[in-house]
PDB file of all heavy atoms in Angstrom:
ATOM      1  N   ASP V 884      20.257   9.111   0.265  1.00 81.00           N
ATOM      2  CA  ASP V 884      20.878   7.862  -0.183  1.00 81.00           C
ATOM      3  C   ASP V 884      19.807   6.948  -0.603  1.00 81.00           C
ATOM      4  O   ASP V 884      18.493   7.134  -0.501  1.00 81.00           O
ATOM      5  CB  ASP V 884      21.627   7.223   1.041  1.00 81.00           C
ATOM      6  CG  ASP V 884      20.720   7.089   2.268  1.00 81.00           C
ATOM      7  OD1 ASP V 884      19.623   7.580   2.209  1.00 81.00           O
ATOM      8  OD2 ASP V 884      21.273   6.481   3.209  1.00 81.00           O
ATOM      9  N   THR V 885      20.149   5.692  -1.047  1.00 85.00           N
ATOM     10  CA  THR V 885      19.236   4.746  -1.636  1.00 85.00           C
ATOM     11  C   THR V 885      18.293   4.219  -0.545  1.00 85.00           C
ATOM     12  O   THR V 885      17.083   4.063  -0.867  1.00 85.00           O
ATOM     13  CB  THR V 885      19.995   3.630  -2.262  1.00 85.00           C
ATOM     14  OG1 THR V 885      21.002   4.053  -3.193  1.00 85.00           O
ATOM     15  CG2 THR V 885      19.052   2.584  -2.916  1.00 85.00           C
ATOM     16  N   THR V 886      18.704   4.097   0.572  1.00 83.00           N
ATOM     17  CA  THR V 886      17.925   3.462   1.705  1.00 83.00           C
ATOM     18  C   THR V 886      16.787   4.427   2.163  1.00 83.00           C
ATOM     19  O   THR V 886      15.508   4.026   2.257  1.00 83.00           O
ATOM     20  CB  THR V 886      18.753   3.207   3.006  1.00 83.00           C
ATOM     21  OG1 THR V 886      19.725   2.291   2.650  1.00 83.00           O
ATOM     22  CG2 THR V 886      17.946   2.495   4.055  1.00 83.00           C
ATOM     23  N   THR V 887      17.112   5.799   2.176  1.00 84.00           N
ATOM     24  CA  THR V 887      16.109   6.674   2.485  1.00 84.00           C
ATOM     25  C   THR V 887      15.093   6.796   1.331  1.00 84.00           C
ATOM     26  O   THR V 887      13.895   6.991   1.529  1.00 84.00           O
ATOM     27  CB  THR V 887      16.733   8.094   2.729  1.00 84.00           C
ATOM     28  OG1 THR V 887      17.694   7.902   3.801  1.00 84.00           O
ATOM     29  CG2 THR V 887      15.641   9.080   3.147  1.00 84.00           C
ATOM     30  N   PHE V 888      15.597   6.692   0.091  1.00 88.00           N
ATOM     31  CA  PHE V 888      14.702   6.727  -1.022  1.00 88.00           C
ATOM     32  C   PHE V 888      13.612   5.617  -1.043  1.00 88.00           C
ATOM     33  O   PHE V 888      12.442   5.806  -1.318  1.00 88.00           O
ATOM     34  CB  PHE V 888      15.499   6.800  -2.359  1.00 88.00           C
ATOM     35  CG  PHE V 888      14.650   6.846  -3.525  1.00 88.00           C
ATOM     36  CD1 PHE V 888      13.894   7.951  -4.023  1.00 88.00           C
ATOM     37  CD2 PHE V 888      14.600   5.620  -4.340  1.00 88.00           C
ATOM     38  CE1 PHE V 888      13.200   7.930  -5.208  1.00 88.00           C
ATOM     39  CE2 PHE V 888      13.828   5.549  -5.564  1.00 88.00           C
ATOM     40  CZ  PHE V 888      13.110   6.759  -5.941  1.00 88.00           C
ATOM     41  N   LEU V 889      14.154   4.454  -0.775  1.00 89.00           N
ATOM     42  CA  LEU V 889      13.308   3.200  -0.718  1.00 89.00           C
ATOM     43  C   LEU V 889      12.374   3.332   0.403  1.00 89.00           C
ATOM     44  O   LEU V 889      11.192   2.889   0.256  1.00 89.00           O
ATOM     45  CB  LEU V 889      14.115   1.928  -0.595  1.00 89.00           C
ATOM     46  CG  LEU V 889      15.015   1.610  -1.838  1.00 89.00           C
ATOM     47  CD1 LEU V 889      15.826   0.305  -1.534  1.00 89.00           C
ATOM     48  CD2 LEU V 889      14.081   1.355  -3.085  1.00 89.00           C
ATOM     49  N   PHE V 890      12.728   3.920   1.520  1.00 87.00           N
ATOM     50  CA  PHE V 890      11.920   4.133   2.740  1.00 87.00           C
ATOM     51  C   PHE V 890      10.768   4.836   2.297  1.00 87.00           C
ATOM     52  O   PHE V 890       9.486   4.770   2.604  1.00 87.00           O
ATOM     53  CB  PHE V 890      12.657   4.697   3.905  1.00 87.00           C
ATOM     54  CG  PHE V 890      11.875   4.962   5.029  1.00 87.00           C
ATOM     55  CD1 PHE V 890      11.454   3.993   5.937  1.00 87.00           C
ATOM     56  CD2 PHE V 890      11.325   6.307   5.299  1.00 87.00           C
ATOM     57  CE1 PHE V 890      10.561   4.313   7.039  1.00 87.00           C
ATOM     58  CE2 PHE V 890      10.561   6.574   6.381  1.00 87.00           C
ATOM     59  CZ  PHE V 890      10.246   5.493   7.180  1.00 87.00           C
ATOM     60  N   ILE V 891      10.994   6.095   1.585  1.00 89.00           N
ATOM     61  CA  ILE V 891       9.972   7.021   1.124  1.00 89.00           C
ATOM     62  C   ILE V 891       8.955   6.298   0.230  1.00 89.00           C
ATOM     63  O   ILE V 891       7.716   6.456   0.293  1.00 89.00           O
ATOM     64  CB  ILE V 891      10.553   8.249   0.543  1.00 89.00           C
ATOM     65  CG1 ILE V 891      11.326   9.041   1.566  1.00 89.00           C
ATOM     66  CG2 ILE V 891       9.420   9.172  -0.059  1.00 89.00           C
ATOM     67  CD1 ILE V 891      12.122  10.241   1.022  1.00 89.00           C
ATOM     68  N   ILE V 892       9.540   5.496  -0.767  1.00 91.00           N
ATOM     69  CA  ILE V 892       8.720   4.897  -1.718  1.00 91.00           C
ATOM     70  C   ILE V 892       7.748   3.802  -1.061  1.00 91.00           C
ATOM     71  O   ILE V 892       6.524   3.826  -1.282  1.00 91.00           O
ATOM     72  CB  ILE V 892       9.503   4.224  -2.813  1.00 91.00           C
ATOM     73  CG1 ILE V 892      10.279   5.197  -3.644  1.00 91.00           C
ATOM     74  CG2 ILE V 892       8.730   3.317  -3.726  1.00 91.00           C
ATOM     75  CD1 ILE V 892       9.370   6.119  -4.375  1.00 91.00           C
ATOM     76  N   PHE V 893       8.261   2.984  -0.233  1.00 91.00           N
ATOM     77  CA  PHE V 893       7.472   1.927   0.426  1.00 91.00           C
ATOM     78  C   PHE V 893       6.420   2.531   1.387  1.00 91.00           C
ATOM     79  O   PHE V 893       5.427   2.105   1.538  1.00 91.00           O
ATOM     80  CB  PHE V 893       8.383   0.867   1.129  1.00 91.00           C
ATOM     81  CG  PHE V 893       9.122  -0.064   0.208  1.00 91.00           C
ATOM     82  CD1 PHE V 893      10.517  -0.103   0.353  1.00 91.00           C
ATOM     83  CD2 PHE V 893       8.493  -0.654  -0.795  1.00 91.00           C
ATOM     84  CE1 PHE V 893      11.232  -0.939  -0.586  1.00 91.00           C
ATOM     85  CE2 PHE V 893       9.183  -1.552  -1.740  1.00 91.00           C
ATOM     86  CZ  PHE V 893      10.514  -1.629  -1.586  1.00 91.00           C
ATOM     87  N   SER V 894       6.969   3.605   2.008  1.00 89.00           N
ATOM     88  CA  SER V 894       5.989   4.265   2.916  1.00 89.00           C
ATOM     89  C   SER V 894       4.780   4.851   2.200  1.00 89.00           C
ATOM     90  O   SER V 894       3.572   4.707   2.699  1.00 89.00           O
ATOM     91  CB  SER V 894       6.642   5.375   3.731  1.00 89.00           C
ATOM     92  OG  SER V 894       7.647   4.850   4.510  1.00 89.00           O
ATOM     93  N   ALA V 895       5.096   5.499   1.085  1.00 91.00           N
ATOM     94  CA  ALA V 895       4.055   6.049   0.181  1.00 91.00           C
ATOM     95  C   ALA V 895       3.070   4.909  -0.278  1.00 91.00           C
ATOM     96  O   ALA V 895       1.873   5.229  -0.282  1.00 91.00           O
ATOM     97  CB  ALA V 895       4.575   6.868  -0.872  1.00 91.00           C
ATOM     98  N   VAL V 896       3.587   3.890  -0.726  1.00 92.00           N
ATOM     99  CA  VAL V 896       2.791   2.698  -1.204  1.00 92.00           C
ATOM    100  C   VAL V 896       1.965   2.270  -0.040  1.00 92.00           C
ATOM    101  O   VAL V 896       0.730   1.794  -0.249  1.00 92.00           O
ATOM    102  CB  VAL V 896       3.720   1.599  -1.800  1.00 92.00           C
ATOM    103  CG1 VAL V 896       2.854   0.454  -2.153  1.00 92.00           C
ATOM    104  CG2 VAL V 896       4.368   2.175  -3.028  1.00 92.00           C
ATOM    105  N   LEU V 897       2.575   2.096   1.164  1.00 91.00           N
ATOM    106  CA  LEU V 897       1.760   1.596   2.337  1.00 91.00           C
ATOM    107  C   LEU V 897       0.635   2.500   2.682  1.00 91.00           C
ATOM    108  O   LEU V 897      -0.472   2.071   2.988  1.00 91.00           O
ATOM    109  CB  LEU V 897       2.760   1.508   3.496  1.00 91.00           C
ATOM    110  CG  LEU V 897       2.156   1.098   4.741  1.00 91.00           C
ATOM    111  CD1 LEU V 897       1.441  -0.278   4.683  1.00 91.00           C
ATOM    112  CD2 LEU V 897       3.165   0.989   5.831  1.00 91.00           C
ATOM    113  N   LEU V 898       0.827   3.867   2.648  1.00 89.00           N
ATOM    114  CA  LEU V 898      -0.245   4.762   2.914  1.00 89.00           C
ATOM    115  C   LEU V 898      -1.402   4.718   1.873  1.00 89.00           C
ATOM    116  O   LEU V 898      -2.536   4.650   2.246  1.00 89.00           O
ATOM    117  CB  LEU V 898       0.363   6.129   3.085  1.00 89.00           C
ATOM    118  CG  LEU V 898       1.290   6.346   4.270  1.00 89.00           C
ATOM    119  CD1 LEU V 898       1.740   7.813   4.209  1.00 89.00           C
ATOM    120  CD2 LEU V 898       0.527   6.113   5.566  1.00 89.00           C
ATOM    121  N   VAL V 899      -0.958   4.667   0.658  1.00 92.00           N
ATOM    122  CA  VAL V 899      -1.985   4.723  -0.489  1.00 92.00           C
ATOM    123  C   VAL V 899      -2.808   3.260  -0.389  1.00 92.00           C
ATOM    124  O   VAL V 899      -3.986   3.361  -0.470  1.00 92.00           O
ATOM    125  CB  VAL V 899      -1.399   4.765  -1.778  1.00 92.00           C
ATOM    126  CG1 VAL V 899      -2.398   4.603  -2.921  1.00 92.00           C
ATOM    127  CG2 VAL V 899      -0.684   6.174  -1.900  1.00 92.00           C
ATOM    128  N   ALA V 900      -2.078   2.155  -0.128  1.00 92.00           N
ATOM    129  CA  ALA V 900      -2.834   0.889  -0.081  1.00 92.00           C
ATOM    130  C   ALA V 900      -3.685   0.792   1.224  1.00 92.00           C
ATOM    131  O   ALA V 900      -4.853   0.356   1.070  1.00 92.00           O
ATOM    132  CB  ALA V 900      -1.769  -0.253  -0.065  1.00 92.00           C
ATOM    133  N   ALA V 901      -3.325   1.433   2.331  1.00 90.00           N
ATOM    134  CA  ALA V 901      -4.130   1.442   3.528  1.00 90.00           C
ATOM    135  C   ALA V 901      -5.374   2.216   3.281  1.00 90.00           C
ATOM    136  O   ALA V 901      -6.482   1.863   3.733  1.00 90.00           O
ATOM    137  CB  ALA V 901      -3.288   1.916   4.671  1.00 90.00           C
ATOM    138  N   VAL V 902      -5.243   3.461   2.611  1.00 88.00           N
ATOM    139  CA  VAL V 902      -6.421   4.213   2.326  1.00 88.00           C
ATOM    140  C   VAL V 902      -7.334   3.439   1.328  1.00 88.00           C
ATOM    141  O   VAL V 902      -8.654   3.521   1.505  1.00 88.00           O
ATOM    142  CB  VAL V 902      -6.055   5.564   1.762  1.00 88.00           C
ATOM    143  CG1 VAL V 902      -7.228   6.383   1.224  1.00 88.00           C
ATOM    144  CG2 VAL V 902      -5.267   6.329   2.798  1.00 88.00           C
ATOM    145  N   ARG V 903      -6.870   2.844   0.375  1.00 89.00           N
ATOM    146  CA  ARG V 903      -7.674   2.111  -0.549  1.00 89.00           C
ATOM    147  C   ARG V 903      -8.366   0.830   0.063  1.00 89.00           C
ATOM    148  O   ARG V 903      -9.455   0.471  -0.452  1.00 89.00           O
ATOM    149  CB  ARG V 903      -6.811   1.552  -1.824  1.00 89.00           C
ATOM    150  CG  ARG V 903      -6.370   2.713  -2.639  1.00 89.00           C
ATOM    151  CD  ARG V 903      -7.563   3.391  -3.379  1.00 89.00           C
ATOM    152  NE  ARG V 903      -8.220   2.506  -4.180  1.00 89.00           N
ATOM    153  CZ  ARG V 903      -9.516   2.575  -4.592  1.00 89.00           C
ATOM    154  NH1 ARG V 903     -10.215   3.593  -4.041  1.00 89.00           N
ATOM    155  NH2 ARG V 903     -10.089   1.708  -5.436  1.00 89.00           N
ATOM    156  N   VAL V 904      -7.755   0.366   1.146  1.00 88.00           N
ATOM    157  CA  VAL V 904      -8.528  -0.811   1.782  1.00 88.00           C
ATOM    158  C   VAL V 904      -9.804  -0.335   2.382  1.00 88.00           C
ATOM    159  O   VAL V 904     -10.827  -0.977   2.247  1.00 88.00           O
ATOM    160  CB  VAL V 904      -7.600  -1.379   2.950  1.00 88.00           C
ATOM    161  CG1 VAL V 904      -8.292  -2.259   3.840  1.00 88.00           C
ATOM    162  CG2 VAL V 904      -6.421  -2.105   2.469  1.00 88.00           C
ATOM    163  N   VAL V 905      -9.884   0.875   2.824  1.00 82.00           N
ATOM    164  CA  VAL V 905     -11.115   1.468   3.485  1.00 82.00           C
ATOM    165  C   VAL V 905     -12.048   1.979   2.295  1.00 82.00           C
ATOM    166  O   VAL V 905     -13.290   1.849   2.435  1.00 82.00           O
ATOM    167  CB  VAL V 905     -10.733   2.593   4.512  1.00 82.00           C
ATOM    168  CG1 VAL V 905     -11.963   3.141   5.125  1.00 82.00           C
ATOM    169  CG2 VAL V 905      -9.777   2.056   5.483  1.00 82.00           C
ATOM    170  N   THR V 906     -11.510   2.599   1.355  1.00 82.00           N
ATOM    171  CA  THR V 906     -12.325   3.271   0.369  1.00 82.00           C
ATOM    172  C   THR V 906     -12.725   2.440  -0.896  1.00 82.00           C
ATOM    173  O   THR V 906     -13.539   2.857  -1.685  1.00 82.00           O
ATOM    174  CB  THR V 906     -11.576   4.561  -0.185  1.00 82.00           C
ATOM    175  OG1 THR V 906     -10.295   4.161  -0.708  1.00 82.00           O
ATOM    176  CG2 THR V 906     -11.390   5.485   0.955  1.00 82.00           C
ATOM    177  N   ALA V 907     -12.064   1.312  -1.001  1.00 82.00           N
ATOM    178  CA  ALA V 907     -12.477   0.391  -2.170  1.00 82.00           C
ATOM    179  C   ALA V 907     -13.882  -0.111  -2.122  1.00 82.00           C
ATOM    180  O   ALA V 907     -14.276  -0.597  -1.085  1.00 82.00           O
ATOM    181  CB  ALA V 907     -11.449  -0.703  -2.363  1.00 82.00           C
ATOM    182  N   ARG V 908     -14.591  -0.012  -3.259  1.00 80.00           N
ATOM    183  CA  ARG V 908     -15.915  -0.458  -3.266  1.00 80.00           C
ATOM    184  C   ARG V 908     -16.086  -1.968  -3.458  1.00 80.00           C
ATOM    185  O   ARG V 908     -17.012  -2.620  -3.040  1.00 80.00           O
ATOM    186  CB  ARG V 908     -16.785   0.149  -4.348  1.00 80.00           C
ATOM    187  CG  ARG V 908     -16.844   1.681  -4.286  1.00 80.00           C
ATOM    188  CD  ARG V 908     -17.628   2.370  -5.284  1.00 80.00           C
ATOM    189  NE  ARG V 908     -19.054   1.964  -5.084  1.00 80.00           N
ATOM    190  CZ  ARG V 908     -19.855   2.486  -4.252  1.00 80.00           C
ATOM    191  NH1 ARG V 908     -19.475   3.596  -3.552  1.00 80.00           N
ATOM    192  NH2 ARG V 908     -21.097   2.070  -4.180  1.00 80.00           N
ATOM    193  N   ASN V 909     -15.095  -2.617  -4.058  1.00 81.00           N
ATOM    194  CA  ASN V 909     -15.146  -4.000  -4.330  1.00 81.00           C
ATOM    195  C   ASN V 909     -14.361  -4.768  -3.076  1.00 81.00           C
ATOM    196  O   ASN V 909     -13.235  -4.417  -2.874  1.00 81.00           O
ATOM    197  CB  ASN V 909     -14.415  -4.436  -5.582  1.00 81.00           C
ATOM    198  CG  ASN V 909     -14.656  -5.905  -5.931  1.00 81.00           C
ATOM    199  OD1 ASN V 909     -14.788  -6.621  -5.151  1.00 81.00           O
ATOM    200  ND2 ASN V 909     -14.767  -6.109  -7.245  1.00 81.00           N
ATOM    201  N   PRO V 910     -14.963  -5.646  -2.342  1.00 81.00           N
ATOM    202  CA  PRO V 910     -14.233  -6.245  -1.224  1.00 81.00           C
ATOM    203  C   PRO V 910     -13.032  -6.931  -1.630  1.00 81.00           C
ATOM    204  O   PRO V 910     -12.129  -7.112  -0.836  1.00 81.00           O
ATOM    205  CB  PRO V 910     -15.353  -7.053  -0.628  1.00 81.00           C
ATOM    206  CG  PRO V 910     -16.401  -7.355  -1.646  1.00 81.00           C
ATOM    207  CD  PRO V 910     -16.385  -6.115  -2.446  1.00 81.00           C
ATOM    208  N   VAL V 911     -13.053  -7.590  -2.866  1.00 83.00           N
ATOM    209  CA  VAL V 911     -11.847  -8.384  -3.219  1.00 83.00           C
ATOM    210  C   VAL V 911     -10.753  -7.379  -3.459  1.00 83.00           C
ATOM    211  O   VAL V 911      -9.545  -7.710  -3.159  1.00 83.00           O
ATOM    212  CB  VAL V 911     -12.219  -9.099  -4.635  1.00 83.00           C
ATOM    213  CG1 VAL V 911     -10.944  -9.847  -5.066  1.00 83.00           C
ATOM    214  CG2 VAL V 911     -13.311 -10.198  -4.236  1.00 83.00           C
ATOM    215  N   HIS V 912     -11.025  -6.263  -4.100  1.00 86.00           N
ATOM    216  CA  HIS V 912      -9.908  -5.231  -4.314  1.00 86.00           C
ATOM    217  C   HIS V 912      -9.394  -4.703  -2.956  1.00 86.00           C
ATOM    218  O   HIS V 912      -8.231  -4.483  -2.750  1.00 86.00           O
ATOM    219  CB  HIS V 912     -10.538  -4.059  -5.144  1.00 86.00           C
ATOM    220  CG  HIS V 912     -10.860  -4.439  -6.505  1.00 86.00           C
ATOM    221  ND1 HIS V 912     -11.554  -3.632  -7.378  1.00 86.00           N
ATOM    222  CD2 HIS V 912     -10.608  -5.668  -7.186  1.00 86.00           C
ATOM    223  CE1 HIS V 912     -11.766  -4.205  -8.495  1.00 86.00           C
ATOM    224  NE2 HIS V 912     -11.145  -5.358  -8.422  1.00 86.00           N
ATOM    225  N   ALA V 913     -10.272  -4.512  -1.980  1.00 85.00           N
ATOM    226  CA  ALA V 913      -9.851  -4.103  -0.603  1.00 85.00           C
ATOM    227  C   ALA V 913      -8.907  -5.262   0.057  1.00 85.00           C
ATOM    228  O   ALA V 913      -7.896  -4.783   0.559  1.00 85.00           O
ATOM    229  CB  ALA V 913     -11.175  -3.983   0.315  1.00 85.00           C
ATOM    230  N   VAL V 914      -9.201  -6.411  -0.090  1.00 86.00           N
ATOM    231  CA  VAL V 914      -8.256  -7.494   0.346  1.00 86.00           C
ATOM    232  C   VAL V 914      -6.942  -7.465  -0.346  1.00 86.00           C
ATOM    233  O   VAL V 914      -5.869  -7.518   0.273  1.00 86.00           O
ATOM    234  CB  VAL V 914      -8.947  -8.976   0.319  1.00 86.00           C
ATOM    235  CG1 VAL V 914      -7.945 -10.038   0.739  1.00 86.00           C
ATOM    236  CG2 VAL V 914     -10.249  -8.994   1.035  1.00 86.00           C
ATOM    237  N   LEU V 915      -6.989  -7.276  -1.682  1.00 88.00           N
ATOM    238  CA  LEU V 915      -5.714  -7.212  -2.416  1.00 88.00           C
ATOM    239  C   LEU V 915      -4.937  -6.032  -1.996  1.00 88.00           C
ATOM    240  O   LEU V 915      -3.673  -6.048  -1.962  1.00 88.00           O
ATOM    241  CB  LEU V 915      -5.963  -7.168  -3.956  1.00 88.00           C
ATOM    242  CG  LEU V 915      -6.680  -8.506  -4.474  1.00 88.00           C
ATOM    243  CD1 LEU V 915      -6.981  -8.367  -5.893  1.00 88.00           C
ATOM    244  CD2 LEU V 915      -5.780  -9.685  -4.263  1.00 88.00           C
ATOM    245  N   PHE V 916      -5.554  -4.839  -1.701  1.00 91.00           N
ATOM    246  CA  PHE V 916      -4.816  -3.717  -1.252  1.00 91.00           C
ATOM    247  C   PHE V 916      -4.276  -3.933   0.069  1.00 91.00           C
ATOM    248  O   PHE V 916      -3.109  -3.448   0.360  1.00 91.00           O
ATOM    249  CB  PHE V 916      -5.755  -2.482  -1.299  1.00 91.00           C
ATOM    250  CG  PHE V 916      -5.924  -1.836  -2.636  1.00 91.00           C
ATOM    251  CD1 PHE V 916      -7.108  -1.790  -3.277  1.00 91.00           C
ATOM    252  CD2 PHE V 916      -4.808  -1.193  -3.200  1.00 91.00           C
ATOM    253  CE1 PHE V 916      -7.193  -1.203  -4.488  1.00 91.00           C
ATOM    254  CE2 PHE V 916      -4.935  -0.613  -4.452  1.00 91.00           C
ATOM    255  CZ  PHE V 916      -6.126  -0.525  -5.073  1.00 91.00           C
ATOM    256  N   LEU V 917      -4.971  -4.725   0.953  1.00 89.00           N
ATOM    257  CA  LEU V 917      -4.369  -4.950   2.216  1.00 89.00           C
ATOM    258  C   LEU V 917      -3.185  -5.911   2.119  1.00 89.00           C
ATOM    259  O   LEU V 917      -2.072  -5.729   2.831  1.00 89.00           O
ATOM    260  CB  LEU V 917      -5.465  -5.730   3.110  1.00 89.00           C
ATOM    261  CG  LEU V 917      -5.143  -5.981   4.576  1.00 89.00           C
ATOM    262  CD1 LEU V 917      -4.706  -4.720   5.266  1.00 89.00           C
ATOM    263  CD2 LEU V 917      -6.270  -6.649   5.234  1.00 89.00           C
ATOM    264  N   VAL V 918      -3.134  -6.781   1.134  1.00 90.00           N
ATOM    265  CA  VAL V 918      -1.984  -7.628   0.906  1.00 90.00           C
ATOM    266  C   VAL V 918      -0.868  -6.756   0.428  1.00 90.00           C
ATOM    267  O   VAL V 918       0.274  -6.960   0.919  1.00 90.00           O
ATOM    268  CB  VAL V 918      -2.301  -8.765  -0.106  1.00 90.00           C
ATOM    269  CG1 VAL V 918      -1.031  -9.483  -0.585  1.00 90.00           C
ATOM    270  CG2 VAL V 918      -3.298  -9.687   0.371  1.00 90.00           C
ATOM    271  N   LEU V 919      -1.162  -5.769  -0.457  1.00 91.00           N
ATOM    272  CA  LEU V 919      -0.149  -4.816  -0.811  1.00 91.00           C
ATOM    273  C   LEU V 919       0.454  -4.082   0.341  1.00 91.00           C
ATOM    274  O   LEU V 919       1.668  -3.788   0.400  1.00 91.00           O
ATOM    275  CB  LEU V 919      -0.554  -3.954  -1.854  1.00 91.00           C
ATOM    276  CG  LEU V 919       0.371  -2.830  -2.438  1.00 91.00           C
ATOM    277  CD1 LEU V 919       1.631  -3.523  -3.041  1.00 91.00           C
ATOM    278  CD2 LEU V 919      -0.415  -1.901  -3.384  1.00 91.00           C
ATOM    279  N   SER V 920      -0.390  -3.615   1.261  1.00 91.00           N
ATOM    280  CA  SER V 920       0.119  -2.957   2.410  1.00 91.00           C
ATOM    281  C   SER V 920       1.010  -3.744   3.320  1.00 91.00           C
ATOM    282  O   SER V 920       2.033  -3.277   3.850  1.00 91.00           O
ATOM    283  CB  SER V 920      -1.099  -2.429   3.180  1.00 91.00           C
ATOM    284  OG  SER V 920      -1.885  -3.393   3.681  1.00 91.00           O
ATOM    285  N   PHE V 921       0.648  -5.079   3.430  1.00 91.00           N
ATOM    286  CA  PHE V 921       1.424  -5.990   4.173  1.00 91.00           C
ATOM    287  C   PHE V 921       2.896  -6.153   3.509  1.00 91.00           C
ATOM    288  O   PHE V 921       3.886  -6.169   4.286  1.00 91.00           O
ATOM    289  CB  PHE V 921       0.807  -7.265   4.401  1.00 91.00           C
ATOM    290  CG  PHE V 921      -0.259  -7.342   5.523  1.00 91.00           C
ATOM    291  CD1 PHE V 921      -1.353  -8.092   5.319  1.00 91.00           C
ATOM    292  CD2 PHE V 921      -0.300  -6.380   6.488  1.00 91.00           C
ATOM    293  CE1 PHE V 921      -2.388  -8.158   6.253  1.00 91.00           C
ATOM    294  CE2 PHE V 921      -1.301  -6.338   7.421  1.00 91.00           C
ATOM    295  CZ  PHE V 921      -2.372  -7.191   7.328  1.00 91.00           C
ATOM    296  N   PHE V 922       2.892  -6.219   2.351  1.00 91.00           N
ATOM    297  CA  PHE V 922       4.100  -6.364   1.590  1.00 91.00           C
ATOM    298  C   PHE V 922       4.928  -5.125   1.798  1.00 91.00           C
ATOM    299  O   PHE V 922       6.230  -5.198   1.971  1.00 91.00           O
ATOM    300  CB  PHE V 922       3.902  -6.545   0.051  1.00 91.00           C
ATOM    301  CG  PHE V 922       3.814  -8.116  -0.261  1.00 91.00           C
ATOM    302  CD1 PHE V 922       2.642  -8.625  -0.723  1.00 91.00           C
ATOM    303  CD2 PHE V 922       4.919  -8.939  -0.208  1.00 91.00           C
ATOM    304  CE1 PHE V 922       2.553  -9.969  -1.060  1.00 91.00           C
ATOM    305  CE2 PHE V 922       4.817 -10.267  -0.393  1.00 91.00           C
ATOM    306  CZ  PHE V 922       3.723 -10.798  -0.957  1.00 91.00           C
ATOM    307  N   SER V 923       4.421  -3.942   1.643  1.00 92.00           N
ATOM    308  CA  SER V 923       5.071  -2.706   1.805  1.00 92.00           C
ATOM    309  C   SER V 923       5.678  -2.624   3.272  1.00 92.00           C
ATOM    310  O   SER V 923       6.841  -2.187   3.467  1.00 92.00           O
ATOM    311  CB  SER V 923       4.201  -1.540   1.556  1.00 92.00           C
ATOM    312  OG  SER V 923       3.690  -1.637   0.204  1.00 92.00           O
TER     313      SER V 923
END
């Protein structure tokens, strides 16, 4: 259903953004990825 599909999408975005918070070389980019993870 739509709810499960949105759950998978937001979960994937959250995981990718959380990984980029740690691996981003620019600290400003890391903060922006953390904001994206909070939104997800």
Side-chain angles (χ1 to χ4, degrees):
D884 57 352
T885 305
T886 305
T887 305
F888 176 75
L889 292 177
F890 176 80
I891 296 174
I892 294 298
F893 289 129
S894 300
V896 173
L897 177 59
L898 292 176
V899 173
V902 172
R903 290 296 297 157
V904 170
V905 182
T906 58
R908 301 186 63 86
N909 193 331
V911 178
H912 295 169
V914 174
L915 294 178
F916 277 116
L917 187 57
V918 172
L919 178 60
S920 64
F921 284 153
F922 270 114
S923 302

